[in-house]
Amino acid sequence: MFKKSPYWTNLRPQLIELAGRKCWYCEGEVSNSRLAIDHFRPKGGVVGEPDDSHIGYYWLAYEVSNFRLICEFCNSSTDDSPTGSRVTKIHHFPLLNPAARLRAPGVDPESIDRELPVLLDPIKPRDCDLLDFDASGAARRNDHRPRSALERAVNTCRVGESVRIYGLDRPGLNERRNRVWIDTVFKAEVLESGIKIDGVVDRVRDLIAPETPHSSAALSALRSMRHLRSVVEHFSDELGLELGFAGITQPEAHTVYDLINAGALKSGIEMVGVANYGEVVALLLPDGGFELGVRSYATPSSAAQAATGSADVDGWDFWHIVVASSRVSLSQIRREFNEARTASPSES
């Protein structure tokens, strides 16, 4: 009879110390014994693909970067929602580009970065910034972050799918986030009124602290009060960290690196172009360059010119990302990003 490995038992307290006793997906407070360690990329199988033949990312079973703290509900394999529409996280890991999915460890350890997950990753700030909450506590997409060109190409919404698969719309969660929202707004109004109550600023900071349950809902509430002078005065740093709020506008993207830095593109993915002799594939580098064969090129046009042998080619139109059966050009991604950065909520 095999004994249960002490690995997980020893690791869990370290993760709790790092981020508090909260689920990293729903942000609900959970007792230590009710918190489990989830594999963001499922280790035991991936469902939802045409043939359901993926046996899981077994080689990431002990990879710390793949670990997330999760509560029993988010980690459940059953659907106990009133409508029976919940999918559950446990074996679901959809991609925007399913053809790039790895089925075994690659020779290049960074090859997994070519995958474009649909699900929001709770440890990635730019993913978290896509998610917002309203006064009722309901999860929704950030009005200032419309769907990307890649999402539109496959007709999906990363936030909508994450809410559905993580079960972020369950009534108990909405009620708790609603209470946090009301508490945050009340304290902001007290601060603005000028009534002298010691510790109000610190109490608001406690509500939006990352280790506090439902801190994202508290931050959404604080953003809704950014028209108040006292809120901007005391929390400009917290609000200013989120581009697009508190009067800060995300700058226009002019280079591929700008798009990578803004989260609109991901380094490590394959860029595809069509030359006279057929398809050409280049690897997008972290600095915005293109690796083509044994050489790298600083700009999309220089890489396209090398691929085609023609000096009269625009690399922004030449290079595409293949998403499912669709292709999205670099120029389209840049155009939509620049349009979205200044779009009003009604336009997005």
Side-chain angles (χ1 to χ4, degrees):
M1 183 174 181
F2 293 101
K3 292 183 178 180
K4 186 176 181 180
S5 169
Y7 181 82
W8 309 112
T9 305
N10 295 334
L11 179 64
R12 186 171 57 182
Q14 298 178 47
L15 294 176
I16 292 173
E17 183 178 357
L18 177 68
R21 289 190 299 109
K22 61 185 282 188
C23 173
W24 292 7
Y25 294 102
C26 72
E27 292 195 289
E29 184 175 16
V30 189
S31 65
N32 290 16
S33 62
R34 298 289 185 178
L35 277 172
I37 295 175
D38 174 59
H39 293 77
F40 183 61
R41 284 177 166 81
K43 70 180 188 300
V46 178
V47 300
E49 292 195 324
D51 56 1
D52 283 343
S53 63
H54 197 289
I55 64 173
Y57 296 83
Y58 58 88
W59 65 96
L60 299 179
Y62 291 93
E63 174 57 51
V64 175
S65 64
N66 195 39
F67 297 160
R68 312 287 184 269
L69 275 182
I70 193 168
C71 68
E72 279 185 314
F73 186 94
C74 291
N75 196 39
S76 173
S77 60
T78 60
D79 180 6
D80 53 5
S81 64
T83 61
S85 60
R86 183 170 176 247
V87 175
T88 76
K89 158 71 174 65
I90 189 164
H91 291 306
H92 284 81
F93 192 71
L95 297 178
L96 293 173
N97 56 342
R101 190 186 297 279
L102 287 187
R103 294 177 176 270
V107 176
D108 177 7
E110 296 182 357
S111 59
I112 200 165
D113 290 335
R114 297 173 191 172
E115 294 184 345
L116 300 174
V118 170
L119 295 178
L120 302 181
D121 188 345
I123 69 170
K124 292 190 174 180
R126 292 195 179 278
D127 276 10
C128 297
D129 188 37
L130 294 176
L131 187 64
D132 200 8
F133 302 91
D134 62 22
S136 72
R140 65 179 188 181
R141 192 177 187 109
N142 185 333
D143 285 335
H144 295 259
R145 299 291 184 269
R147 288 193 304 162
S148 68
L150 302 184
E151 290 174 272
R152 293 178 186 179
V154 295
N155 192 28
T156 193
C157 173
R158 295 186 65 204
V159 172
E161 285 298 284
S162 297
V163 169
R164 183 173 70 94
I165 292 176
Y166 293 154
L168 300 183
D169 55 353
R170 55 192 191 265
L173 276 179
N174 290 358
E175 292 167 7
R176 290 191 288 275
R177 289 190 296 240
N178 170 249
R179 291 196 292 269
V180 168
W181 181 289
I182 292 172
D183 192 17
T184 305
V185 168
F186 173 73
K187 287 179 170 59
E189 290 175 339
V190 168
L191 194 61
E192 180 70 7
S193 71
I195 299 174
K196 300 298 182 183
I197 299 179
D198 293 338
V200 174
V201 173
D202 289 338
R203 291 174 196 173
V204 174
R205 288 210 168 96
D206 287 342
L207 286 169
I208 62 176
E211 65 273 11
T212 304
H214 307 300
S215 57
S216 295
L219 189 57
S220 291
L222 191 63
R223 285 199 298 259
S224 75
M225 306 298 286
R226 64 187 181 275
H227 59 282
L228 300 181
R229 176 194 55 80
S230 57
V231 168
V232 175
E233 177 184 344
H234 291 284
F235 305 105
S236 59
D237 288 344
E238 289 85 349
L239 295 174
L241 290 175
E242 302 200 351
L243 297 176
F245 293 104
I248 298 176
T249 302
Q250 187 155 318
E252 187 171 289
H254 297 286
T255 67
V256 174
Y257 177 74
D258 291 337
L259 291 171
I260 294 173
N261 194 45
L265 272 179
K266 185 179 180 183
S267 63
I269 61 175
E270 291 182 341
M271 308 299 300
V272 178
V274 179
N276 291 336
Y277 52 87
E279 285 193 346
V280 191
V281 178
L283 193 68
L284 185 60
L285 302 175
D287 63 358
F290 291 70
E291 183 179 279
L292 185 62
V294 296
R295 295 193 57 184
S296 61
Y297 300 85
T299 67
S301 290
S302 61
Q305 290 165 10
T308 61
S310 170
D312 187 24
V313 58
D314 185 340
W316 287 90
D317 293 326
F318 178 79
W319 295 110
H320 292 71
I321 294 176
V322 178
V323 186
S325 58
S326 302
R327 296 194 176 200
V328 183
S329 69
L330 276 179
S331 61
Q332 181 181 347
I333 293 172
R334 179 177 61 177
R335 181 177 64 256
E336 292 193 2
F337 172 80
N338 288 333
E339 289 173 352
R341 71 188 181 88
T342 56
S344 66
S346 61
E347 294 171 332
S348 61

